[in-house]
Amino acid sequence: MELIPLNTECSQLLAPIHGFLHCATPDEWLAEARKPEHLAALLVDHANCEMKAAMSAHSLVRRYCLPKDKRKLLPNLDFYKSLDALPEKGEVLGKQALIGDNKRVFDELAKNDLLVKMVRLIQEELHHFEQVLEIMAARGIPYATLSASRYASGLLAHVRTHEPAAIVDRLIVGAYIEARSCERFARLAPFLDEELARFYVSLLRSEARHYQDYLTLAREHAGQSIDDRVVFFGEKEAELIALPDPQFRFHSGVPAAA
Ligand SMILES: [Fe+2]
Ligand SMILES: [Fe+2]
């Protein structure tokens, strides 16, 4: 039953993502994800993934965009809600939160591609997080504690420790997580109820841009070809997706019992 057919725009967004990922989401995972008894876990894990996406971008901004003595300017994610990186928000960048010397630091950073892209990404991920919570609340699904899947930690375990290799690897990992999320939203949407299907399709555009942004930033920071590293992480990512996984989560592998 295909409630929301993916249109031409979605197909265009997904084409590079399918080329980037080394494997498609296995049918066994899809069959599991469609089961109504997994809906609560799927939504709670999805909410967690949105928050973690914002948090890891926040950590990149603090670590790589700000001098050490200015990192305290960004203590938590609430800061981004007052910034104007999204057209629908009325404030000027930093107007509310930053004055004097701190404002000048940020004015300089407004030309920093990593900062600009990450600020927009963080705001969008926080918005997605709130959207998932709203959907859960409307359905009476509690935001219960749920352990993380092996997926992100399995990728981050391969991040090198010296610079600029560390940031390049983190950015490539970000690209894979965004790309897989996008691919899974599209695969799942036709099998969900209309509200969820529309929501998941609505996420495709921003998540596809996040994947592109991470890849662009990885290339900018590397100063040399990243092709080998992209292939390396592509293979690791595909293993996490294709190997048996005892846990069901948004980014889990093939259900172990399948
Ligand atoms: Fe998101
Ligand atoms: Fe994203």
Side-chain angles (χ1 to χ4, degrees):
M1 177 175 60
E2 188 152 329
L3 291 167
I4 309 287
L6 297 177
N7 61 25
T8 313
E9 189 203 351
C10 292
S11 305
Q12 285 171 353
L13 290 173
L14 288 164
I17 283 168
H18 291 153
F20 182 63
L21 295 171
H22 288 220
C23 73
T25 285
D27 290 342
E28 297 94 325
W29 181 88
L30 205 56
E32 199 68 11
R34 293 169 62 178
K35 293 180 179 171
E37 63 262 35
H38 286 314
L39 184 63
L42 194 72
L43 288 174
V44 171
D45 195 46
H46 179 185
N48 288 341
C49 288
E50 298 289 3
M51 179 50 76
K52 281 180 199 155
M55 286 168 68
S56 80
H58 173 64
S59 131
L60 286 174
V61 169
R62 277 176 63 103
R63 170 78 179 78
Y64 294 103
C65 296
L66 294 178
K68 242 181 188 165
D69 64 320
K70 296 293 178 192
R71 286 181 197 164
K72 63 181 184 305
L73 286 174
L74 293 178
N76 57 48
L77 289 165
D78 290 343
F79 175 83
Y80 298 90
K81 293 180 182 173
S82 66
L83 295 182
D84 177 32
L86 289 180
E88 62 263 32
K89 299 216 174 181
E91 302 298 328
V92 175
L93 178 70
K95 188 176 93 179
Q96 283 194 328
L98 298 169
I99 51 169
D101 182 43
N102 293 339
K103 172 102 171 63
R104 277 190 288 281
V105 169
F106 268 78
D107 285 346
E108 282 168 36
L109 289 170
K111 297 164 203 150
N112 179 316
D113 201 25
L114 179 65
L115 182 84
V116 170
K117 284 187 165 68
M118 289 299 103
V119 165
R120 185 173 183 192
L121 181 144
I122 290 165
Q123 290 184 313
E124 289 174 344
E125 306 297 19
L126 291 175
H127 180 57
H128 298 163
F129 173 72
E130 285 164 5
Q131 286 179 297
V132 184
L133 290 193
E134 271 173 32
I135 288 172
M136 286 167 53
R139 294 169 185 234
I141 297 172
Y143 187 29
T145 305
L146 191 69
S147 61
S149 72
R150 67 185 185 184
Y151 180 75
S153 57
L155 288 172
L156 290 168
H158 300 288
V159 170
R160 293 167 291 178
T161 51
H162 58 283
E163 299 294 355
I167 185 172
V168 170
D169 284 357
R170 282 178 70 174
L171 293 166
I172 294 171
V173 166
Y176 272 106
I177 295 174
E178 295 286 350
R180 179 61 66 187
S181 304
C182 210
E183 188 252 5
R184 287 219 157 156
F185 288 139
R187 289 295 302 279
L188 260 178
F191 303 106
L192 299 170
D193 60 72
E194 187 166 351
E195 181 195 35
L196 268 182
R198 285 192 190 285
F199 174 49
Y200 277 16
V201 170
S202 79
L203 294 177
L204 288 186
R205 196 180 291 122
S206 54
E207 308 301 9
R209 176 164 34 74
H210 296 168
Y211 139 73
Q212 296 278 8
D213 283 351
Y214 271 124
L215 209 51
T216 302
L217 289 166
R219 294 209 167 93
E220 286 173 5
H221 281 78
Q224 59 183 349
S225 169
I226 59 167
D227 293 353
D228 289 353
R229 252 357 237 172
V230 168
V231 169
F232 171 80
F233 278 107
E235 288 169 356
K236 297 294 172 198
E237 199 273 346
E239 281 173 19
L240 291 162
I241 291 300
L243 289 176
D245 192 339
Q247 220 176 20
F248 174 76
R249 295 288 185 269
F250 186 79
H251 290 111
S252 55
V254 171

